[in-house]
Amino acid sequence: MFFKFSFSLSFYSFHRFSLLLLILCLARVDLASTTKMGNGYRLISVDESPDGSLVGHLQIKQKNNVYGADIPLLHLYVKHETDNRLRVYITDAEKQRWEVPYNLLPREKPPALKQTIVRSRTRKDAYTYTLTPSEYAGSELIFLYTTDPFTFSVKRKSNGQTLFDSRSDESDPYSDLVFKDQYLEISTKLPKDASLYGLGENTQPHGIKLYPNDPYTLYTTDLSAINLNADLYGSHPVYMDLRNIDGESSTHGVLLLNSNGMDVFYRGNSLTYKVIGGVLDFYFFSGPTPLDVVDQYTQLIGRPAPMPYWSLGFHQCRWGYHNLSVVEDVVENYKKAKIPLDVIWNDDDHMDGHKDFTLNPTNYPRPKLLEFLEKIHGQGMKYIVIIDPGIGVNASYGVYQRGIANDVFIKYEGKPYLAQVWPGAVNFPDFLNPKTVEWWGDEIRRFHELVPVDGLWIDMNEASNFCTGLCTIPEGRICPNGTGPGWDCCLDCKNVTKTRWDDPPYKINASGIQALIGYKTIATSASHYNGVLEYDAHSIYGFSQAIATHKALQGLEGKRPFILSRSTFVGSGHYAAHWTGDNKGTWDDLKYSISTMLNFGIFGVPMVGSDICGFYPAPTEELCNRWIELGAFYPFSRDHANFYSPRQELYQWETVAESARNALGMRYKLLPYLYTLNYEAHTSGAPIARPLFFTFTNETKCFGLSTQFLLGSSLMVSPVLEEKKTSTDALFPPGSWYNLFDMTQVIVSKEAHYITLDAPLHVINVHLYQNTIIPMQQGGLISKEARMTPFSLVVTFPMAATVGEAKGNLFVDDDELPEMKLGNGYSTYVDFYATVSNGMVKVWSDVRESKFALDKGWIIEKVTVLGLDGVQGGFEIEVDGNPVATTSKVKISTAEHRYTEKLEDRDQDMMKSVMIEVKGLELPVGKIFSMSWKIGNKA
C-alpha cells in the first residue's frame, strides 16, 4: 500500500527530500567507514570436537567503551557442514545471545556453551601458552586462522584463492574483530576486480552489481522502493562474489545469518559489517558457479516454495476497487480485450472498515461475492485478497476479541503494544508465540469459510506503523476521522528513547537518515514471546508471519498455498512470493525493477516481480506499453496501482492492450517452460529469472549487465527501457540466438557484443540460445485452458551445425498438491534430447513417472528445429520403441533463416540454414519417443 517517508510532503518536495537524504547518506558512509577501534581478540584455546568441528575461545586484547563495553570472552565454533558449506560462528562464551530462531530457520545447532570450562579459563595464568596459526581443511574450503590478533580467512582448496580475509592492516579503514552487546564489527579484504551481488532489499540505481561506497543498510522498513540505496522491506545479509582470473570465473557466497539491523560498507577492496546485536554466524558456500552457490544457499535456508500453475498467469489488482461491480467489470473487460488474466485481487476495499478477515456488507455483500467467485472459479480464475498484520482494537470485532482471549499480541510493559495502521488503533500479533500461530490459522480458516479465497497477500509486515513510540487512543476525538489520506498518525504518542534498545549506541542508517530504529514501526523495546525483544526480532516479523500463513493455508484443504509477502528475510522464499513494493510509474523504476528481481533470485525468492506500469502516479501510455512487455516476463506478473492514481488496467489504452496481447500471449505459450523452471527452483534453488552471468560466467561484459536477463539458462529478454525509443542495444554472448516471436530470425555472435535491435512500440525482443529444447503450448486467456492445448518443442542448434546436441526438460503435475515432486503418482518428468551428426538429426525423450501425463492425454503436436540444413528424407518416428507410420497429418516445412546482422560473405555462404517444422504429430508426452531424419544442403 501507499506508505511513504513523510506523509505531509508533496511528491515534488518528497523528491527533493529524497535527494537530500541520499547526499547525507553518502556522506555518512565516508565518515562511518573510517573509524577504527580496539585491537581485536586473541585465540586462547582451540580443540577439535568429536564431530570434526573446531571449538575455541577468544579473549579481548584491549577494552574500550565505544558503543558499549566489549564482551571479554567469545566462543568460536567452526564446521564444514557439507562438502561445499563452511560455518564460522562467534558468540559470547558465557551468556546466551539472540539468534534467528532455529524453529523458524531449521539448521544445525552449535554445541551448548560449557560455562564452567569457560570461566576456569578467565584467570590470567590460563594464557601463558602460545597457539600457532593453523588451518582446518574440508573438501572444497579451507579455514585458516591466526591467533594474536585472532583473524580468519577462507580459501578455495582447488586453487588457493582467498574468499574471505578478516585481517586488518594499519592502512585499512576498519578494525579487527569487535564484539559488544550492541555492536559487532568484522571485515574482509576483497580483490578490486571482484563483482559482488546481493545485500538487500534495496533499489540499486547502478544496477545489480554492488557499487563501492553506496550505503547498504539491512533493516526491514516500510520505505517505498522509489528511495534509492535505502533499507526497504526485506533483509537479506547474503552476497555472491564472482571473480574472473585469466578468463576463468568462479563464484562463492557469504551469508551472515543475523536478523539485527546492520550497515554493510563496501569499498571495492573491502567489506565491513556493523551489526547492532546478535551473533556472527557466517556461512560460506564454495560454488564454484552461480547456480551452485544458489543451490548450496537454498539447501541451507530452504528451497523455494512450489507455486501453483495458475500463479504463473497474469494478475490484476488495484487499491481502489470500491465495490464488487468494479471487480466484475475488470474481469469482463479483460475478456473483451482478449488479454490473458488468471487472478483478480482485492486490496483492502473488500474489508469492513479496513479490518482483516471481514467483508464490507454494502460494497462486497457475501452472497454476490460468492456468486462471482463461483463464476470465475468455474472458468479457472482465482481470487486473492490482502491481509495486514495489524488487528483493529475494537471490542465488537471478533478477530480482536479472540486475539485478546488467546493473549497473542506483542507487549509493551505487559500490555498489548498499540499502533496505528489502516483500521486505526491496532495490536500486532506475535508470530513467535505458538498460540498466535494457532489463532492466526483459525482466523484464516474462519475467513476461508466466509470467502473461499485462493491465496493471501500479506502486506505492511515490516511491521509498518503510522505512528512512532508509545501511543494511547485519544479521548474526545475519532481516530482516524475518515478525512485525509488515512496514514496520518492520530493516536496520542510520545517517543520511546529511555532504553538502549530504543536508542542504541550505534546508529544504523535506518530509513537513509539514521532514524531511530523504532521510527514508524513497533517500539524496539517491546517484547515478544518468552521475552524476545522487538530490537532483535524486528526483521523476521514478515518471515514469521509468512510461515504462520503458509501453515494455515496448507491446513485448509491440503492444497498448495500461494502467499505474496512484502517483507522478507533469509528463508522467506520457502513459503512466499514477493513483489518489490511501492514503485513509481517512471522509466527509471522500470529499469530498477530488473535488478531487484534478479537480486531476489539470488536471495532464494524466485517468484518475484514489480507492480507493472508503476504503483503511482499515472504512467504514460508509452511507459505502460513498455512495462507490460517487460512485466510479461517477470516470474510474478501483476498490474497494481494506487488508490489515487488513474485506472491503468491493460485494456485502458488500445496500444497497451495490443502490447499485452503480444507479450502475455507469448508468456502463456511459455507456461510449461516457466512451470518447469518453477520445479527447478523448488528442487535446486535455481532462479527463474537470472542475470546473464549465470550462464555466461566467463563473459565479463555480462557481470554488470542489468538491462537484460535470462529466463532459465537460455531464454534472453531484452526490453526497451527508455522513452521514445524504437530500438534497443542488447548484449549477445557468443553463439546463435533465435528470435522467439519469429524463429526464422537469428543472430550469430562470434564474441560478446552489443547489437541494435528493432523494437517498435508493441515489440519486445526475446531470443532463445543454441543447444536448447524448450516446451511450449498454444496459449490462451486463462492458464487452465492453455494448459490443455497440444505441446510443441523448439530445438536450437548452432547455425549450420553438422555436429551438436541440445537438451531440455518438462515437469507437469497436479499443481493443487502441496508438494511438487516425483513419485506420488501425480507428476511426470520428461528429458528431451536432440543431436545432429553424420548427416542425421535425432530428437527423442526419456520419461519418468509417465502415468500422470498419459492420464491427462497431453500430446506433442509440433517440433521446430532451428539452425540446420534442410530435410533430405529418411523421416522416422518411434514411440516406446515401436515404429510409427507417418500419416497425412504430418507435414514437414522449411523456411530459410534471416540474419539481424549482416554477415561476412564467407559466413553468408556457409549459413544458408533453415527452420524445420514438423507438424501434425500425435506424440504422447507420457511415452518415450524418437524422431529422426537426414539433412543436407538445399538444391
Side-chain angles (χ1 to χ4, degrees):
M1 278 191 171
F2 185 66
F3 186 41
K4 301 290 176 284
F5 233 141
S6 175
F7 308 106
S8 61
L9 293 173
S10 68
F11 286 136
Y12 174 71
S13 298
F14 181 76
H15 296 158
R16 294 177 62 195
F17 187 47
S18 295
L19 179 61
L20 175 61
L21 296 182
L22 181 59
I23 293 169
L24 290 173
C25 192
L26 291 173
R28 178 184 174 272
V29 170
D30 291 336
L31 177 65
S33 60
T34 57
T35 304
K36 298 187 76 163
M37 67 177 79
N39 295 313
Y41 286 76
R42 64 170 62 91
L43 181 68
I44 60 171
S45 71
V46 63
D47 298 294
E48 186 169 338
S49 296
D51 66 353
S53 62
L54 289 184
V55 177
H57 292 97
L58 311 175
Q59 181 197 30
I60 188 70
K61 292 187 65 176
Q62 180 181 352
K63 294 182 179 180
N64 68 71
N65 290 314
V66 179
Y67 303 139
D70 295 286
I71 294 177
L73 201 62
L74 301 180
H75 174 77
L76 170 69
Y77 170 76
V78 185
K79 186 178 182 182
H80 293 281
E81 293 188 335
T82 69
D83 287 347
N84 45 48
R85 185 175 80 225
L86 170 69
R87 184 180 189 182
V88 179
Y89 172 91
I90 302 173
T91 188
D92 189 331
E94 299 190 283
K95 294 181 181 178
Q96 192 73 36
R97 290 180 62 80
W98 163 259
E99 299 180 51
V100 176
Y102 284 80
N103 64 319
L104 294 188
L105 193 69
R107 57 202 189 278
E108 287 187 39
K109 286 189 176 183
L113 299 178
K114 299 179 180 179
Q115 293 189 355
T116 55
I117 297 176
V118 169
R119 285 171 183 156
S120 72
R121 287 179 171 168
T122 60
R123 303 188 315 272
K124 290 184 179 180
D125 59 5
Y127 310 136
T128 56
Y129 55 88
T130 301
L131 296 173
T132 57
S134 190
E135 66 178 47
Y136 168 53
S139 298
E140 300 291 339
L141 298 173
I142 304 173
F143 174 81
L144 300 98
Y145 58 90
T146 63
T147 59
D148 192 1
F150 169 75
T151 67
F152 74 89
S153 60
V154 178
K155 290 191 174 184
R156 190 182 298 281
K157 194 171 185 178
S158 61
N159 59 12
Q161 189 178 94
T162 299
L163 310 184
F164 193 95
D165 183 355
S166 72
R167 288 177 302 135
S168 171
D169 301 325
E170 286 187 11
S171 60
D172 291 327
Y174 49 84
S175 307
D176 287 315
L177 173 64
V178 180
F179 205 116
K180 302 167 185 285
D181 191 26
Q182 290 183 267
Y183 182 80
L184 287 62
E185 180 181 332
I186 193 168
S187 302
T188 179
K189 298 177 184 294
L190 292 168
K192 286 187 176 181
D193 57 354
S195 296
L196 269 61
Y197 312 88
L199 297 178
E201 177 180 7
N202 55 24
T203 300
Q204 299 175 191
H206 296 108
I208 187 173
K209 274 179 65 173
L210 299 188
Y211 194 79
N213 298 319
D214 272 0
Y216 296 97
T217 299
L218 280 64
Y219 189 72
T220 61
T221 306
D222 180 2
L223 190 62
S224 75
I226 70 171
N227 292 279
L228 307 181
N229 292 324
D231 46 317
L232 302 183
Y233 312 107
S235 176
H236 295 271
V238 61
Y239 70 84
M240 179 182 287
D241 184 334
L242 171 62
R243 303 177 187 180
N244 184 279
I245 299 175
D246 298 328
E248 291 295 321
S249 294
S250 61
T251 313
H252 66 275
V254 180
L255 166 67
L256 173 56
L257 186 55
N258 184 301
S259 65
N260 290 82
M262 69 179 76
D263 288 330
V264 184
F265 297 98
Y266 172 54
R267 305 174 189 83
N269 60 358
S270 66
L271 185 143
T272 298
Y273 298 91
K274 299 188 176 187
V275 194
I276 60 172
V279 300
L280 294 177
D281 194 0
F282 281 102
Y283 291 85
F284 299 92
F285 308 95
S286 65
T289 70
L291 277 176
D292 289 336
V293 170
V294 179
D295 183 7
Q296 295 152 14
Y297 179 58
T298 56
Q299 185 181 28
L300 171 70
I301 68 168
R303 298 298 195 193
M307 294 291 156
Y309 199 89
W310 53 262
S311 69
L312 293 167
F314 184 68
H315 303 242
Q316 177 61 52
C317 184
R318 175 180 171 82
W319 178 25
Y321 288 150
H322 299 292
N323 55 53
L324 180 59
S325 64
V326 177
V327 175
E328 292 173 320
D329 286 344
V330 169
V331 172
E332 188 61 28
N333 284 329
Y334 266 93
K335 188 180 299 183
K336 288 179 180 177
K338 299 188 184 313
I339 300 172
L341 179 65
D342 258 78
V343 190
I344 187 72
W345 295 56
N346 264 129
D347 207 306
D348 70 355
D349 303 290
H350 69 285
M351 296 180 184
D352 183 12
H354 305 287
K355 297 191 297 293
D356 282 347
F357 308 119
T358 64
L359 283 180
N360 184 309
T362 303
N363 296 332
Y364 284 82
R366 182 170 182 257
K368 289 188 176 180
L369 179 58
L370 292 179
E371 183 180 337
F372 167 70
L373 293 184
E374 184 177 9
K375 177 182 176 181
I376 67 168
H377 282 157
Q379 298 167 353
M381 287 186 63
K382 306 296 179 180
Y383 178 60
I384 294 176
V385 299
I386 197 169
I387 292 179
D388 294 337
I391 302 298
V393 176
N394 186 322
S396 63
Y397 175 32
V399 178
Y400 172 73
Q401 291 173 331
R402 290 186 290 272
I404 289 293
N406 285 281
D407 194 24
V408 302
F409 297 117
I410 293 171
K411 302 287 183 58
Y412 190 90
E413 295 182 347
K415 297 179 181 179
Y417 176 77
L418 192 71
Q420 181 190 330
V421 202
W422 301 111
V426 298
N427 295 149
F428 287 114
D430 174 12
F431 293 104
L432 300 185
N433 186 340
K435 287 175 61 178
T436 306
V437 175
E438 293 180 16
W439 163 83
W440 186 252
D442 183 59
E443 296 302 336
I444 288 176
R445 178 191 60 78
R446 290 168 181 265
F447 181 63
H448 194 268
E449 291 174 356
L450 187 72
V451 185
V453 297
D454 300 289
L456 289 174
W457 171 17
I458 52 177
D459 191 13
M460 308 288 283
N461 52 350
E462 293 74 29
S464 177
N465 182 358
F466 296 167
C467 301
T468 298
L470 187 59
C471 303
T472 58
I473 298 175
E475 296 182 6
R477 58 184 168 88
I478 299 173
C479 170
N481 61 16
T483 63
W487 53 69
D488 291 325
C489 179
C490 57
L491 300 177
D492 289 336
C493 303
K494 60 180 181 179
N495 285 337
V496 181
T497 58
K498 63 184 179 182
T499 76
R500 62 192 180 102
W501 311 115
D502 300 296
D503 188 16
Y506 176 76
K507 308 296 187 288
I508 63 170
N509 196 31
S511 299
I513 54 172
Q514 289 188 319
L516 289 174
I517 55 176
Y519 175 70
K520 299 292 186 179
T521 187
I522 300 167
T524 43
S525 53
S527 58
H528 293 252
Y529 180 68
N530 276 347
V532 170
L533 288 170
E534 169 69 10
Y535 179 89
D536 294 314
H538 171 83
S539 287
I540 62 170
Y541 189 78
F543 177 44
S544 63
Q545 185 193 17
I547 294 173
T549 306
H550 187 276
K551 181 179 179 181
L553 286 179
Q554 200 167 68
L556 285 178
E557 298 174 311
K559 292 184 178 181
R560 188 176 301 174
F562 179 82
I563 301 164
L564 184 72
S565 180
R566 189 169 75 176
S567 185
T568 58
F569 184 70
V570 175
S572 285
H574 189 57
Y575 304 96
H578 175 65
W579 93 109
T580 63
D582 296 350
N583 59 359
K584 289 184 69 175
T586 70
W587 293 93
D588 281 343
D589 285 69
L590 173 67
K591 182 168 66 174
Y592 299 154
S593 72
I594 297 176
S595 295
T596 306
M597 170 185 69
L598 297 179
N599 266 327
F600 269 88
I602 293 171
F603 297 154
V605 190
M607 189 64 167
V608 58
S610 294
D611 286 345
I612 293 171
C613 298
F615 182 62
Y616 85 97
T620 65
E621 184 174 345
E622 181 192 6
L623 175 62
C624 205
N625 270 276
R626 294 307 191 186
W627 212 319
I628 185 53
E629 290 167 7
L630 168 59
F633 298 95
Y634 292 155
F636 173 64
S637 184
R638 184 183 74 159
D639 181 320
H640 180 44
N642 174 18
F643 184 94
Y644 296 97
S645 296
R647 296 282 291 272
Q648 64 181 46
E649 292 84 6
L650 302 180
Y651 54 77
Q652 295 291 342
W653 303 271
E654 180 49 42
T655 63
V656 176
E658 183 176 345
S659 293
R661 285 189 288 269
N662 290 342
L664 288 173
M666 180 57 74
R667 179 188 182 91
Y668 273 62
K669 292 176 183 178
L670 287 167
L671 284 177
Y673 177 66
L674 292 173
Y675 194 68
T676 301
L677 293 178
N678 176 24
Y679 174 72
E680 185 180 346
H682 177 59
T683 54
S684 71
I688 296 172
R690 308 171 190 176
L692 266 67
F693 69 76
F694 266 61
T695 294
F696 304 98
T697 54
N698 291 328
E699 290 293 338
T700 56
K701 290 180 180 178
C702 297
F703 289 5
L705 186 61
S706 306
T707 54
Q708 299 166 247
F709 59 94
L710 296 172
L711 291 173
S713 61
S714 305
L715 194 64
M716 184 170 71
V717 181
S718 306
V720 173
L721 302 173
E722 296 179 69
E723 189 175 9
K724 298 179 181 178
K725 293 283 188 179
T726 57
S727 64
T728 185
D729 293 333
L731 180 69
F732 282 82
S736 299
W737 295 88
Y738 299 90
N739 186 324
L740 198 63
F741 287 89
D742 179 358
M743 295 183 210
T744 63
Q745 292 189 24
V746 61
I747 289 172
V748 180
S749 179
K750 290 188 175 180
E751 60 183 23
H753 71 293
Y754 281 88
I755 298 175
T756 299
L757 302 173
D758 288 336
L761 184 61
H762 305 303
V763 170
I764 181 165
N765 282 278
V766 181
H767 289 83
L768 185 61
Y769 192 54
Q770 65 190 32
N771 305 325
T772 300
I773 303 177
I774 63 167
M776 298 177 68
Q777 285 175 286
Q778 294 178 358
L781 298 182
I782 297 176
S783 66
K784 181 181 179 181
E785 297 174 354
R787 198 177 191 196
M788 297 313 298
T789 61
F791 281 82
S792 62
L793 300 179
V794 180
V795 182
T796 62
F797 287 104
M799 280 295 289
T802 56
V803 176
E805 62 179 31
K807 295 179 181 179
N809 43 54
L810 170 68
F811 176 82
V812 290
D813 74 344
D814 180 346
D815 68 313
E816 289 195 340
L817 293 178
E819 294 187 78
M820 179 184 253
K821 65 179 184 179
L822 291 171
N824 59 8
Y826 296 94
S827 57
T828 297
Y829 189 88
V830 185
D831 283 304
F832 298 110
Y833 303 93
T835 58
V836 56
S837 64
N838 300 319
M840 290 289 296
V841 178
K842 182 179 180 181
V843 182
W844 74 98
S845 69
D846 185 24
V847 181
R848 283 179 273 169
E849 308 286 339
S850 63
K851 182 178 183 300
F852 178 74
L854 291 173
D855 289 347
K856 288 293 183 180
W858 281 313
I859 64 164
I860 297 169
E861 187 271 338
K862 181 173 73 171
V863 174
T864 302
V865 179
L866 307 178
L868 300 182
D869 288 338
V871 179
Q872 293 295 310
F875 188 82
E876 296 180 355
I877 299 176
E878 291 185 356
V879 174
D880 280 348
N882 301 310
V884 175
T886 57
T887 68
S888 59
K889 290 183 181 180
V890 178
K891 304 291 183 183
I892 302 174
S893 62
T894 63
E896 194 167 297
H897 283 300
R898 295 175 292 126
Y899 303 96
T900 303
E901 276 195 313
K902 184 177 180 181
L903 301 178
E904 297 179 11
D905 290 340
R906 65 178 187 275
D907 294 332
Q908 196 81 46
D909 293 336
M910 291 172 57
M911 293 192 174
K912 290 185 178 179
S913 300
V914 297
M915 174 182 77
I916 303 169
E917 282 193 342
V918 184
K919 296 181 179 180
L921 299 167
E922 294 181 349
L923 303 174
V925 171
K927 292 188 177 183
I928 295 172
F929 77 87
S930 69
M931 181 172 24
S932 60
W933 63 87
K934 295 179 182 179
I935 60 170
N937 292 324
K938 294 178 66 177

